[in-house]
């Protein structure tokens, strides 16, 4: 038995008798180094557990294995089955958790898979308060899926009206869903103010009449897709869970689909760890590899894209063909002061509403506008290095009725601009040409 056991250890790269020495040396080396940085630029490159124990690869390899060899009954290592845990996904999850200021992350197959997994934390029939004007796909999941499958009672409110939010909190309220900035109008939520108000309301609410269990903890989950940790860290502002569509700025190159949930709460982490294995909506090793590769350049990409976005917003604000510009980085924005307190910049997305033409044929005007663009591309999604324009009424919010869209300020002339890393002057010149009479 002993030679076989040693042989298995050698295949993993470290003889069994030397493993303790290697571990001890690694711990000593850690103690000789400076303490871990909290700077986003450094964490994006070095955060989490990205070491390769097999060969010391500078970047974690793609481990496609479904299963992992166990020493004997009850003697498995860190990994046993890739639905539950995988080395490549682990490297990405720990890196993203460090970036967001969390202690646990689970990477999912998409942003919507992450949203769906977060809802699995709720009891059937729970009451959920949602930020008004959220992403159309989130609205669709709540309204057309989880109202039926989970009996969720969903209510949409402006979460900045904290007194109203607290009035609507009930004994069965299980979650408050925050999206800041919102998609596409870029409304912000004052996270610390909301968290403080909900905490007070939660402490005051009563158990159901006639006894029974105490009301469940109200989970506050923040969609941080548009901002990323580069602009704000909601966990450090008091929320319980951060949700991200990693397809966007984390991946950053429009070549992968993924999502993630991050938390710093041990109880929530334990529950999510169970749910992610039970539900199975996990990121594949290759998607995790692409997301981690993209994460490495998040700091430099966001710095360039957000700076470009401000210049684009300033240009559009002065253009006679624009009815409205939504960008919290502009001094004219009603969210500007909150943006300065809570975010590093106004972000890399600018949303505009074009003026309707004299004939009133908005869709024809849209077709003409898009046909004249050279560098900006008409496409779903956002967050890539290339500049993209989304026609909100037919793309991101196409699942909503025209009346529902109008209620949240989305019209046929509403455009969401995801600003890329190109030269800002070229992007502005392209828009100026497309907007010309």
């Amino acid at each position: 038995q002993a030679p076989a056991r040693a042989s298995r250890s050698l295949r993993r790269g470290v003889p069994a008798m030397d493993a303790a020495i290697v571990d001890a040396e690694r711990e000593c080396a850690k103690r000789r180094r400076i303490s871990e940085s909290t700077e986003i630029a450094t964490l994006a490159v070095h955060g989490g557990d990205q070491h390769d124990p097999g060969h010391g690869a500078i970047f974690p390899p793609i481990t496609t294995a479904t299963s992992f060899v166990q020493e004997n009954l009850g003697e498995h290592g860190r990994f046993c089955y890739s639905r539950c845990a995988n080395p490549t996904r682990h490297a990405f999850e720990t890196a993203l958790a460090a970036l967001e200021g969390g202690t646990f992350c689970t990477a999912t197959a998409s942003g919507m898979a992450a949203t769906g997994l977060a809802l699995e934390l709720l009891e059937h029939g729970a009451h959920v308060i949602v930020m008004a004007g959220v992403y159309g796909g989130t609205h669709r999941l709540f309204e057309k899926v989880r109202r039926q499958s989970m009996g969720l009672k969903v209510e949409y409110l402006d979460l900045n009206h904290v007194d109203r939010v607290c009035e609507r909190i009930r004994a069965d309220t299980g979650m408050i869903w925050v999206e800041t900035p919102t998609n596409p109008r870029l409304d912000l939520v004052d996270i610390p103010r909301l968290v403080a108000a909900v905490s007070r309301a939660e402490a005051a609410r009563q158990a159901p009449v006639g006894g029974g269990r105490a009301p469940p903890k109200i989970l506050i989950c923040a969609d941080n897709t548009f901002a990323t940790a580069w602009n704000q860290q909601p966990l450090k502002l008091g929320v319980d869970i951060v949700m991200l569509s990693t397809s966007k700025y984390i991946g950053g190159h429009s070549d992968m689909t993924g999502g993630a949930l991050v938390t710093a709460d041990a109880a929530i982490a334990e529950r999510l760890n169970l749910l992610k294995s039970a539900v199975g909506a996990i990121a594949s090793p290759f998607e995790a590899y692409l997301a981690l590769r993209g994460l490495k350049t998040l700091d430099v990409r966001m710095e360039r894209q957000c700076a470009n976005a401000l210049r684009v917003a300033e240009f559009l604000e002065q253009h006679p063909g624009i009815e409205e510009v939504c960008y919290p980085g502009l001094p004219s924005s009603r969210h500007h002061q909150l943006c300065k307190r809570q975010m590093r910049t106004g972000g890399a997305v600018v949303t505009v509403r074009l003026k309707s033409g004299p004939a009133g044929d908005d869709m024809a005007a849209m077709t003409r506008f898009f046909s004249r663009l050279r560098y900006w591309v008409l496409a779903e999604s956002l967050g890539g290095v290339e500049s993209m324009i989304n026609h909100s009424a037919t793309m991101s919010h196409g699942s909503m009725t025209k009346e529902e869209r109008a209620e949240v300020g989305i019209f046929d002339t509403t455009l969401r601009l995801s600003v890329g890393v190109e030269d800002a002057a070229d992007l502005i010149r392209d828009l100026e040409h497309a907007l010309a009479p």
Side-chain angles (χ1 to χ4, degrees):
Q1 292 289 333
R5 183 74 56 87
S7 175
R8 283 195 293 270
S9 296
L10 282 166
R11 284 201 301 270
R12 289 195 298 274
V14 180
M17 61 182 177
D18 294 338
I21 298 173
V22 170
D23 290 341
E25 288 178 346
R26 182 176 292 142
E27 287 304 313
C28 288
K30 286 180 181 178
R31 287 194 290 271
R32 289 195 298 268
R33 297 168 185 161
I34 61 172
S35 59
E36 187 173 32
S37 174
T38 58
E39 296 297 326
I40 293 297
T42 303
L43 288 173
V45 178
H46 298 286
D49 178 12
Q50 299 186 46
H51 79 282
D52 171 26
H55 303 286
I58 196 168
F59 194 94
I62 305 172
T63 302
T64 59
T66 309
S67 302
F68 300 85
V69 176
Q70 301 182 22
E71 292 282 2
N72 207 324
L73 290 176
E75 295 182 21
H76 56 79
R78 178 183 294 181
F79 307 103
C80 60
Y81 187 59
S82 274
R83 173 165 47 80
C84 303
N86 171 275
T88 312
R89 196 166 71 244
H90 170 77
F92 170 57
E93 288 172 338
T94 56
L96 188 57
L99 192 76
E100 286 285 348
T103 56
F104 172 85
C105 170
T106 180
T108 61
S110 68
M112 292 313 305
T115 302
L117 185 62
L119 297 182
E120 295 291 344
L121 293 165
L122 301 174
E123 296 181 355
H124 189 278
H127 174 239
V128 182
I129 298 174
V130 181
M131 176 61 178
V134 293
Y135 165 53
T138 303
H139 181 273
R140 177 176 55 214
L141 177 64
F142 279 119
E143 293 298 318
K144 298 185 177 180
V145 180
R146 292 308 176 91
R147 277 191 187 272
Q148 290 75 30
S149 65
M150 291 184 67
L152 296 183
K153 307 174 186 73
V154 187
E155 188 171 0
Y156 300 90
L157 298 172
D158 183 341
L159 300 183
N160 289 305
H161 298 161
V162 293
D163 291 341
R164 176 64 173 159
V165 172
C166 292
E167 287 174 2
R168 301 304 301 165
I169 287 177
R170 313 179 332 198
D172 61 346
T173 301
M175 180 177 286
I176 295 178
W177 188 269
V178 181
E179 188 175 283
T180 180
T182 59
N183 178 3
R185 289 192 54 83
L186 308 180
D187 293 329
L188 304 186
V189 175
D190 189 332
I191 296 175
R193 185 164 175 257
L194 174 68
V195 169
V198 171
S199 180
R200 292 192 298 270
E202 189 172 28
R205 69 178 177 170
Q206 302 296 315
V209 176
R213 291 186 302 167
K217 172 181 169 55
I218 299 175
L219 300 175
I220 301 180
C221 184
D223 183 338
N224 204 32
T225 298
F226 272 39
T228 77
W230 190 87
N231 264 309
Q232 66 185 14
Q233 292 175 294
L235 291 176
K236 294 186 177 181
L237 298 176
V239 309
D240 301 294
I241 307 166
V242 159
M243 192 288 293
L244 296 129
S245 172
T246 57
S247 317
K248 313 303 191 291
Y249 292 105
I250 301 301
H253 292 79
S254 305
D255 61 359
M256 55 80 56
T257 304
L261 295 175
V262 184
T263 186
D265 184 294
I268 295 173
E270 183 178 6
R271 182 66 178 162
L272 284 175
N273 194 44
L274 168 67
L275 288 170
K276 70 100 170 40
S277 297
V279 175
I282 55 165
S284 73
F286 188 61
E287 300 295 320
Y289 161 82
L290 288 174
L292 181 58
R293 182 208 60 179
L295 185 65
K296 301 282 188 179
T297 59
L298 177 71
D299 180 74
V300 291
R301 285 186 288 106
M302 289 299 286
E303 184 173 18
R304 178 63 172 265
Q305 289 176 265
C306 293
N308 279 356
L310 177 59
R311 290 184 61 183
V312 168
E314 289 171 339
F315 161 75
L316 292 170
E317 187 176 38
Q318 302 301 320
H319 196 282
I322 301 298
E323 181 73 30
E324 179 186 24
V325 177
C326 301
Y327 185 70
L330 288 173
S332 58
S333 169
R334 65 189 180 96
H335 295 289
H336 186 61
Q337 293 304 314
L338 174 57
C339 177
K340 290 200 299 183
R341 293 197 307 271
Q342 188 165 285
M343 299 175 67
R344 187 190 301 201
T345 72
V349 174
V350 180
T351 297
V352 298
R353 182 183 177 189
L354 275 60
K355 287 183 178 177
S356 296
D361 191 346
D362 291 340
M363 295 306 289
M366 290 294 95
T367 301
R368 178 178 178 274
F369 170 80
F370 286 117
S371 71
R372 302 183 72 181
L373 292 169
R374 179 183 181 89
Y375 296 116
W376 294 84
V377 296
L378 174 64
E380 297 274 7
S381 197
L382 64 130
V385 293
E386 59 283 301
S387 292
M388 297 183 279
I389 301 182
N390 173 283
H391 183 247
S392 302
T394 59
M395 291 179 162
S396 61
H397 290 68
S399 62
M400 299 171 67
T401 66
K402 190 168 186 174
E403 293 72 26
E404 287 173 333
R405 291 195 298 269
E407 283 183 12
V408 293
I410 299 172
F411 305 95
D412 287 344
T413 54
T414 298
L415 302 176
R416 186 191 71 201
L417 282 63
S418 172
V419 186
V421 301
E422 304 95 335
D423 183 83
D426 284 335
L427 296 177
I428 290 170
R429 187 163 55 90
D430 200 18
L431 291 172
E432 188 172 28
H433 174 75
L435 288 167

